[in-house]
Amino acid sequence: MAAHLSSGRVNLTALREAGRRELRQFLDKCAGSKAIVWDEYLTGPFGLIAQYSLLKEHEVEKMVTLKPGRLPQADVKNVIFFVRPKLELMDIITDNVLREDRGRSPQRDFHILFVPRRSLLCEQWLKEQGVLGSFIHREQYSLDLIPVDGDLLSMESESAFKHVANMMIRMKREFPGSQNSIFPVFDTLLLLDRNVDLLTPLATQLTYEGLIDEIYGIQNTYVKLPPEKFAPKKQGEGGKDLPTEPKKLQLNSAEELYAEIRDKNFNAVGSVLSKKAKIISAAFEERHHAKTVGEIKQFVSQLPHMQAARSSLANHTSIAELIKDITTSEDFFDNLTVEQEFMSGIDTDKANNYIEDCIAQKHPLIKILRLVCLQSVCNSGLKQKVLDHYKREILQTYGYEHILTLNNLEKAGLLKLQTSGRNNYPTIRKTLRLWMDDVNEQNPNDISYVYSGYAPLSVRLAQLLARPGWRSIEEVLKMLPGPHFEERQQLPTGLQKKRQHGENRVTLVFFLGGVTYAEIAALRFLSQMEDGGTEYVIATTKLINGTSWIKSLMEKLEPAPF
Amino acid sequence: MSRARADEEEYWHSSKFRAFTFDDEDDELSQLKESKRAVNSLRDIVDDDDDDDDLERVSWSGEPVGSISWSIKETASSSTSSLEGQDSSLQKGSSSYAAFPKQVSSYSLSSLFKGRNRLPSFQSLSNALSDTGVKNYAPELRRPKAEYKDYSSDWSPKDTVKRMQRGKVLIFLKRTLRREILFRELEVRQVALCHLIHFLKETGEQKLLLDLLRFLDRTEEVALSQYREHLNIQDVEKRREFLKGCIGLPFSAEDTSHIQDHYTLLERQIIIEANDRHLETAGQSEIFRKYPRKASILNMPLVTTLFYSCFYHYTEAEGTFSSPTNLKKTFKIPDKQYVLTALAARAKLRAWDDVDALLTTKNWLGYTKKKAPIGFHRVVEILQRNNAPVQVLQEYVRLVEDVETRLNLATKYKCHDVVIETYRDLKDRIQLTAYKCKVERGSAEEQNINSILNNTQIRWKN
């Protein structure tokens, strides 16, 4: 189950093991039979650490989702709540506890496990409701960094944006002594705040995995897809057994084919799939050539692997077809064209016709916001007239309440006024070579292939840090928001790693505020580069795409009831 | 990519912008088809194990067997005995995962994790500190605020931050100190400030939050924070009142005009809604009988309201609240938006004359001219979506400026006359001759083509 975690340079399986250990310890603390009441949001991330079988081993007999009302009857000794420290969840728990029948026998003990940490606010709240005393064990489970794949860690935390930045910076400042033992494995730690590169998440990702996320959304390595293309074809049985539930697939590097195509530009995926089809087809043909018992035995032993490969190929062929339908649509093309115009610096200073048309046709608001913010970022802010024009059109078309949304975007720096009167973006773009005209999608030689021309600013910074270093781009760094600093730690000689000759350095890049799959692909590309010199492990507060990112910044505006 | 809430425009706009894809010799797609074909033929080759795909045991609900979300579904309503039955299947599932080769790693990360475990420890550190700390200083705090200064200076900045982060102190201070002093201190301590604001938002202490923001001179945030409250008011009249009250708040100049518009719009909508409901129930108005309203106009965006007005109240004079021209004037709706919306509404009603009038302007000499602030290809698109007859479509296809677009649209929508005219203007004999097969035998169009082809005056280019 965790094969995908050991595929990287640094073995993240141990991280998962530690998580499992901590979970076991807590469960054993609540001795006896148990039922777990789940905060639904947590089931996904927990699934990356443990399966139900582990919980069963520790006497978990029943699992339900958290909701108001009475808890189900189950005859267990303990009821444990696995929840995030949120007030609205505390209300539900209070309701559950108060409705518990105290006359029943045997009585059930209550416990709470806060994920990722306890909260004074929540416990205070419970106290005021008079139920705090009902809980015997109140603990926290620091599910902070979840290993998602061999080289990828995520906190999957919605609101960690500023918090983690502060946390890490304070950590560096206040614990200089103890830091040495925290990250002995990495040569370099690069902390990148999302604010430094607001552009990248706004652009439509063009890698295979990136497009899957953009179109269908990947949650905790799972994706839900429309089922029609995945129905097993049985002879003679029409379409009557067509499934209606979405098809759920897990996507990680344990799947050979997926590992091969996930980071490719989508235009290069088709040829890989067709080559694979030929190989698999040929492999199955082998059975006709197998004559001796030995040969047949050999073939049969390979069968499971071949079947897995065939099933994998079938799935990804279907997915690729689904994506193709979208990427060949006129709307996708028009949208991408405008994005690329902005990113290459064309006409970013006036109101864009395509955007206006989309507003007039009432395309989904998030699409509009992505484009408008992209233009703003590529222009170092919009001129008053243009900004007012867009705002007005948006408010008139989608409703005035979106003033709140637009304000949030402004606070985040995504959609703002051009204050300095000058546009820094062309300089940044040229110095860091963010726009590459001669991009090669099939056999890329530069990270710009992930957006078919645009090199993600964040990754370019990482690239330049390794070689030749940031001194060469001091001027441009000053134009980017936020301070930057470098700190070197002196490791005591005992801890210093002896690097073998030719071995690569390992850099941990921690994205504070979210990272996209396209950026991850770009970093992997750098890792694979010959004489690149550095391999990357990636950590983040959350895996994002433009849509989920903007959504998190939008106000939750309730629709008016009719 | 989901749409925003349903409103009348949503109801009535039959379909989204639809792309037309021409058949293309796309290598990509054919490669995919080929791989799909190969895959399907593979199924035939191998003896059927299709149903038992051991490697991924997924129940059809989509949840992988053995995962937490699956087991929640399974165990939620079942008794323990049925759980036993599933045991064996779970075992089977886990053992049949293919063993993928593990790469030997050169580093173990246990040290990383050990180190990481220490991170939260600084919380436990401050735990020890603040637990005693608060108790110690509590008696002092009960003294008059004059001694407040001593209290805070006794803590090192480091401790203060740690304790502030724990939040214990914040709440304590909030309870015991006078507001002004708390605010003043918080101004200097950004982290604590952020925490408190978040806390107040979470617990819904709106008044204190607003006071705090006002103190910090973040007046626009105050205004917006208050404006946000309108979303919680369901009653329309109350909401209107509330919005009226928001107008005087310290918004930025542009935002103030938007808030004003919001209020004015809702005020109008209330009047229109009351009036139209009356008309509807009275049953006298034809338009309401033929097209009963699917939803109320309250709280709809401006453009939707305009559409509604162009649909139901198109002919009304500017003086009424429900007339489109009144809306246009009051809210300063730009021509482009107005024409587009009115066009869509009239097209939906198949009122082609109205469409024509919208697109016709008279210059000072009295000559009429067709003009569209949105491009005629868009006009055609909207008309076509509403199933306009070919004669009507043809009028506007003819006016599309770009020749290639014009030909595409004309061919697509079978506006034969336009195609013929265009080929004639392009002097393209080959294309014109080829087009003959697209028209009906013996039709007027065929005759037209023939007469043009026979016209000796034309200097064909091919």
Side-chain angles (χ1 to χ4, degrees):
Chain A
M1 227 270 101
H4 58 293
L5 293 182
S6 49
S7 57
R9 178 74 186 284
V10 178
N11 189 348
L12 298 181
T13 322
L15 202 58
R16 184 171 177 271
E17 273 316 304
R20 290 161 74 91
R21 200 166 42 238
E22 206 179 310
L23 184 58
R24 284 197 199 98
Q25 279 167 5
F26 174 72
L27 289 173
D28 289 340
K29 230 176 171 171
C30 316
S33 58
K34 326 174 169 59
I36 300 184
V37 183
W38 284 94
D39 172 357
E40 260 187 317
Y41 181 84
L42 294 176
T43 55
F46 258 87
L48 292 171
I49 302 283
Q51 298 287 58
Y52 179 57
S53 47
L54 180 144
L55 301 171
K56 252 188 68 92
E57 281 168 23
H58 294 268
E59 301 179 274
V60 175
E61 287 173 17
K62 202 171 170 96
M63 306 220 284
V64 293
T65 40
L66 180 69
K67 48 178 181 271
R70 227 179 177 183
L71 288 170
Q73 282 308 320
D75 255 343
V76 288
K77 187 162 178 303
N78 302 280
V79 173
I80 314 179
F81 293 92
F82 278 28
V83 285
R84 289 165 294 161
K86 284 188 163 288
L87 287 184
E88 55 266 29
L89 300 179
M90 297 305 112
D91 282 338
I92 301 177
I93 292 179
T94 305
D95 190 41
N96 288 163
V97 171
L98 289 177
R99 286 180 196 266
E100 177 80 348
D101 179 11
R102 280 301 169 192
R104 64 173 282 148
S105 102
Q107 269 209 7
R108 306 194 280 195
D109 291 335
F110 288 111
H111 315 276
I112 295 192
L113 188 65
F114 286 103
V115 186
R117 57 188 57 83
R118 289 169 70 168
S119 146
L120 176 72
L121 182 58
C122 286
E123 296 189 22
Q124 195 79 2
W125 199 256
L126 291 172
K127 187 168 181 190
E128 281 170 20
Q129 316 275 41
V131 294
L132 188 64
S134 314
F135 298 97
I136 298 182
H137 292 302
R138 293 192 314 265
E139 312 237 335
Q140 71 186 21
Y141 182 73
S142 23
L143 190 63
D144 265 327
L145 275 177
I146 309 168
V148 176
D149 213 312
D151 56 356
L152 179 59
L153 303 145
S154 173
M155 292 172 71
E156 285 307 295
S157 168
E158 294 172 323
S159 50
F161 209 130
K162 286 275 150 67
H163 179 73
V164 176
N166 291 334
M167 174 184 107
M168 298 223 81
I169 291 173
R170 190 160 300 111
M171 193 184 92
K172 277 176 82 69
R173 288 221 188 95
E174 294 188 356
F175 295 89
S178 59
Q179 267 214 303
N180 297 336
S181 46
I182 292 182
F183 299 117
V185 187
F186 303 104
D187 295 292
T188 315
L189 165 65
L190 172 59
L191 289 173
L192 277 175
D193 192 311
R194 191 74 261 173
N195 277 317
V196 162
D197 174 14
L198 294 172
L199 206 177
T200 305
L202 294 171
T204 305
Q205 301 169 68
L206 297 176
T207 58
Y208 181 61
E209 187 166 41
L211 277 167
I212 296 178
D213 189 38
E214 292 268 350
I215 301 172
Y216 297 107
I218 300 177
Q219 302 291 340
N220 300 301
T221 74
Y222 284 91
V223 65
K224 283 194 181 136
L225 300 158
E228 301 83 42
K229 285 201 192 256
F230 297 92
K233 283 193 185 61
K234 293 221 161 68
Q235 272 88 338
E237 225 179 272
K240 47 185 164 91
D241 278 32
L242 220 56
T244 47
E245 294 243 1
K247 169 87 175 170
K248 196 165 169 181
L249 282 177
Q250 186 174 31
L251 301 171
N252 63 35
S253 61
E255 193 183 349
E256 234 175 273
L257 175 61
Y258 188 65
E260 203 181 323
I261 56 177
R262 73 196 302 188
D263 296 323
K264 287 198 183 309
N265 184 296
F266 182 65
N267 285 334
V269 166
S271 58
V272 175
L273 292 178
S274 78
K275 272 197 205 100
K276 259 307 181 296
K278 292 195 179 92
I279 293 173
I280 292 179
S281 174
F284 276 102
E285 279 298 305
E286 276 299 305
R287 71 174 187 170
H288 296 303
H289 302 298
K291 295 194 178 61
T292 70
V293 171
E295 281 171 4
I296 293 177
K297 204 168 167 198
Q298 168 101 346
F299 179 82
V300 168
S301 72
Q302 296 278 28
L303 212 49
H305 184 251
M306 286 157 60
Q307 284 176 315
R310 181 199 70 189
S311 154
S312 169
L313 177 64
N315 282 336
H316 288 290
T317 305
S318 298
I319 297 177
E321 281 178 4
L322 286 170
I323 295 179
K324 191 87 187 174
D325 283 339
I326 307 245
T327 57
T328 45
S329 72
E330 200 166 316
D331 195 44
F332 184 87
F333 178 78
D334 288 339
N335 190 71
L336 191 61
T337 306
V338 170
E339 282 184 11
Q340 298 202 330
E341 277 175 7
F342 288 160
M343 294 190 288
S344 48
I346 299 173
D347 283 347
T348 55
D349 54 351
K350 37 185 181 290
N352 180 281
N353 274 332
Y354 177 72
I355 295 180
E356 290 183 335
D357 280 353
C358 288
I359 297 177
Q361 291 173 63
K362 215 169 174 179
H363 283 208
L365 180 57
I366 292 198
K367 170 184 170 163
I368 308 293
L369 293 176
R370 273 179 87 163
L371 284 171
V372 166
C373 291
L374 184 62
Q375 183 175 357
S376 171
V377 172
C378 290
N379 201 53
S380 299
L382 297 173
K383 292 236 154 44
Q384 184 84 58
K385 237 177 104 184
V386 178
L387 184 60
D388 284 346
H389 178 67
Y390 279 146
K391 275 170 108 165
R392 179 164 261 268
E393 286 199 340
I394 289 173
L395 294 175
Q396 287 186 345
T397 309
Y398 297 95
Y400 291 106
E401 61 272 20
H402 288 286
I403 289 180
L404 301 164
T405 306
L406 295 175
N407 185 258
N408 284 353
L409 291 176
E410 199 170 343
K411 274 204 294 234
L414 287 168
L415 178 62
K416 57 177 198 172
L417 211 54
Q418 192 185 74
T419 42
S420 59
R422 55 164 301 191
N423 180 5
N424 280 329
Y425 179 67
T427 312
I428 300 173
R429 189 188 76 237
K430 283 180 202 134
T431 315
L432 300 180
R433 290 161 64 236
L434 296 183
W435 183 259
M436 309 289 278
D437 274 315
D438 57 345
V439 64
N440 184 332
E441 290 167 349
Q442 306 290 336
N443 295 304
N445 54 8
D446 179 71
I447 56 172
S448 52
Y449 84 90
V450 298
Y451 287 99
S452 288
Y454 165 71
L457 171 59
S458 54
V459 181
R460 195 58 108 198
L461 289 175
Q463 185 178 19
L464 291 172
L465 177 65
R467 234 180 240 172
W470 279 353
R471 292 284 290 276
S472 56
I473 50 167
E474 271 300 322
E475 283 308 307
V476 167
L477 280 182
K478 290 203 189 96
M479 293 182 190
L480 298 174
H484 66 275
F485 52 85
E486 265 180 70
E487 255 187 53
R488 284 186 195 290
Q489 289 174 5
Q490 272 299 78
L491 289 175
T493 32
L495 278 178
Q496 259 172 23
K497 246 190 309 54
K498 290 191 181 41
R499 199 177 309 121
Q500 310 293 357
H501 178 65
E503 213 179 61
N504 287 332
R505 303 163 56 87
V506 180
T507 298
L508 173 66
V509 185
F510 204 127
F511 285 87
L512 306 165
V515 73
T516 58
Y517 289 100
E519 285 165 302
I520 294 171
L523 283 169
R524 286 187 181 137
F525 176 80
L526 289 178
S527 297
Q528 284 166 21
M529 257 167 51
E530 294 236 351
D531 61 275
T534 310
E535 278 183 44
Y536 295 95
V537 175
I538 304 140
T540 181
T541 49
K542 195 160 172 54
L543 291 158
I544 61 171
N545 59 53
T547 301
S548 66
W549 193 42
I550 297 249
K551 240 190 216 157
S552 70
L553 294 170
M554 278 173 80
E555 284 286 330
K556 288 195 185 63
L557 300 170
E558 318 285 74
F562 283 87
Chain B
M1 310 200 185
S2 57
R3 287 252 161 156
R5 67 246 172 133
D7 58 32
E8 306 195 280
E9 211 164 353
E10 243 78 62
Y11 277 127
W12 293 337
H13 268 174
S14 41
S15 63
K16 253 169 73 158
F17 172 88
R18 221 186 278 277
F20 45 88
T21 48
F22 297 102
D23 297 330
D24 44 3
E25 265 77 52
D26 195 348
D27 279 345
E28 280 297 312
L29 192 51
S30 52
Q31 275 175 348
L32 281 171
K33 285 202 176 118
E34 187 189 298
S35 77
K36 185 105 199 185
R37 236 180 284 129
V39 162
N40 287 335
S41 61
L42 290 178
R43 291 193 217 276
D44 298 332
I45 294 174
V46 181
D47 293 328
D48 253 0
D49 276 335
D50 278 358
D51 11 320
D52 215 32
D53 200 352
D54 276 346
L55 290 152
E56 188 185 84
R57 305 207 70 229
V58 177
S59 69
W60 197 254
S61 69
E63 311 294 335
V65 167
S67 78
I68 287 176
S69 25
W70 170 82
S71 40
I72 288 181
K73 288 195 172 84
E74 297 292 310
T75 66
S77 49
S78 64
S79 63
T80 20
S81 54
S82 60
L83 224 45
E84 302 307 340
Q86 297 183 345
D87 235 323
S88 48
S89 63
L90 279 175
Q91 303 285 30
K92 196 161 76 133
S94 51
S95 66
S96 65
Y97 278 112
F100 292 101
K102 279 210 182 106
Q103 287 178 358
V104 177
S105 66
S106 32
Y107 303 101
S108 96
L109 211 51
S110 49
S111 49
L112 166 66
F113 193 78
K114 276 204 208 96
R116 207 169 68 69
N117 255 334
R118 296 226 211 112
L119 292 186
S121 75
F122 83 80
Q123 281 187 343
S124 56
L125 187 60
S126 62
N127 228 340
L129 286 174
S130 59
D131 269 344
T132 51
V134 171
K135 286 203 200 90
N136 282 342
Y137 290 119
E140 285 189 14
L141 270 175
R142 298 253 150 74
R143 293 191 211 141
K145 52 191 190 301
E147 292 182 283
Y148 163 76
K149 279 217 166 64
D150 300 326
Y151 169 57
S152 56
S153 60
D154 276 353
W155 293 349
S156 72
K158 185 164 144 178
D159 284 349
T160 310
V161 164
K162 275 195 217 148
R163 290 174 210 197
M164 289 292 188
Q165 283 202 308
R166 284 292 292 174
K168 271 198 178 127
V169 177
L170 263 183
I171 296 181
F172 190 71
L173 285 176
K174 175 174 162 282
R175 284 214 197 100
T176 54
L177 288 183
R178 260 187 52 187
R179 195 169 288 190
E180 292 77 22
I181 300 171
L182 175 64
F183 286 0
R184 214 186 309 139
E185 287 306 315
L186 282 176
E187 217 176 352
V188 204
R189 296 180 171 81
Q190 282 300 312
V191 175
L193 181 63
C194 285
H195 275 259
L196 184 59
I197 292 181
H198 176 77
F199 172 71
L200 292 175
K201 276 190 183 154
E202 282 271 303
T203 52
E205 288 199 46
Q206 189 71 347
K207 189 164 181 318
L208 184 54
L209 175 63
L210 290 178
D211 284 343
L212 176 58
L213 290 175
R214 254 184 228 113
F215 176 83
L216 296 167
D217 230 357
R218 282 151 70 155
T219 46
E220 272 176 43
E221 250 181 89
V222 176
L224 286 166
S225 201
Q226 209 152 319
Y227 170 71
R228 188 185 293 114
E229 287 298 305
H230 85 271
L231 295 167
N232 295 330
I233 305 174
Q234 308 301 358
D235 177 71
V236 205
E237 276 296 337
K238 293 207 180 88
R239 190 182 277 208
R240 189 189 63 88
E241 277 300 314
F242 182 85
L243 286 175
K244 189 168 185 185
C246 285
I247 295 178
L249 294 174
F251 293 106
S252 66
E254 308 84 46
D255 281 350
T256 304
S257 76
H258 294 312
I259 304 290
Q260 179 103 41
D261 283 348
H262 190 177
Y263 163 70
T264 313
L265 180 62
L266 185 58
E267 194 182 41
R268 293 288 166 89
Q269 286 173 339
I270 293 175
I271 297 171
I272 296 173
E273 177 68 22
N275 197 42
D276 285 0
R277 188 168 294 164
H278 180 75
L279 280 175
E280 222 173 9
T281 44
Q284 300 291 353
S285 165
E286 190 185 331
I287 183 93
F288 284 105
R289 273 205 318 264
K290 262 175 108 176
Y291 299 92
R293 303 183 312 150
K294 293 202 184 87
S296 116
I297 195 61
L298 296 169
N299 296 307
M300 291 289 111
L302 176 62
V303 171
T304 312
T305 312
L306 178 63
F307 179 89
Y308 174 94
S309 158
C310 289
F311 194 90
Y312 287 112
H313 301 278
Y314 196 56
T315 49
E316 281 171 32
E318 200 180 299
T320 69
F321 278 130
S322 42
S323 82
T325 37
N326 190 311
L327 283 176
K328 179 177 198 289
K329 193 156 174 221
T330 312
F331 295 99
K332 300 192 190 49
I333 300 175
D335 279 337
K336 193 168 159 182
Q337 180 68 270
Y338 182 83
V339 170
L340 196 67
T341 311
L343 185 68
R346 298 331 281 171
K348 194 158 192 91
L349 285 166
R350 307 178 69 76
W352 312 124
D353 291 335
D354 289 336
V355 168
D356 198 64
L358 262 176
L359 300 171
T360 309
T361 52
K362 230 183 189 144
N363 70 3
W364 61 280
L365 285 173
Y367 289 122
T368 59
K369 188 173 103 134
K370 288 278 194 299
K371 209 170 74 119
I374 56 172
F376 280 104
H377 62 285
R378 293 288 311 285
V379 174
V380 170
E381 182 201 312
I382 295 174
L383 292 176
Q384 195 275 332
R385 223 187 302 147
N386 286 288
N387 301 310
V390 180
Q391 308 93 287
V392 173
L393 268 184
Q394 192 148 257
E395 278 284 308
Y396 303 103
V397 176
R398 195 175 270 129
L399 294 165
V400 173
E401 275 191 33
D402 178 64
V403 180
E404 204 181 306
T405 317
R406 193 190 321 151
L407 273 175
N408 285 339
L409 290 173
T411 315
K412 189 172 174 199
Y413 299 131
K414 302 202 184 350
C415 304
H416 301 308
D417 289 343
V418 180
V419 180
I420 298 169
E421 284 162 24
T422 312
Y423 282 139
R424 180 200 63 201
D425 291 340
L426 289 173
K427 300 191 178 17
D428 194 334
R429 194 217 299 264
I430 294 182
Q431 288 285 28
L432 184 54
T433 319
Y435 197 71
K436 244 203 325 198
C437 57
K438 295 253 179 73
V439 301
E440 238 184 83
R441 272 288 196 80
S443 63
E445 288 85 11
E446 201 196 22
Q447 287 178 354
N448 193 2
I449 296 181
N450 285 330
S451 74
I452 294 175
L453 286 174
N454 291 330
N455 187 337
T456 48
Q457 303 236 325
I458 300 180
R459 291 228 224 108
W460 300 101
K461 73 175 189 200
N462 55 26

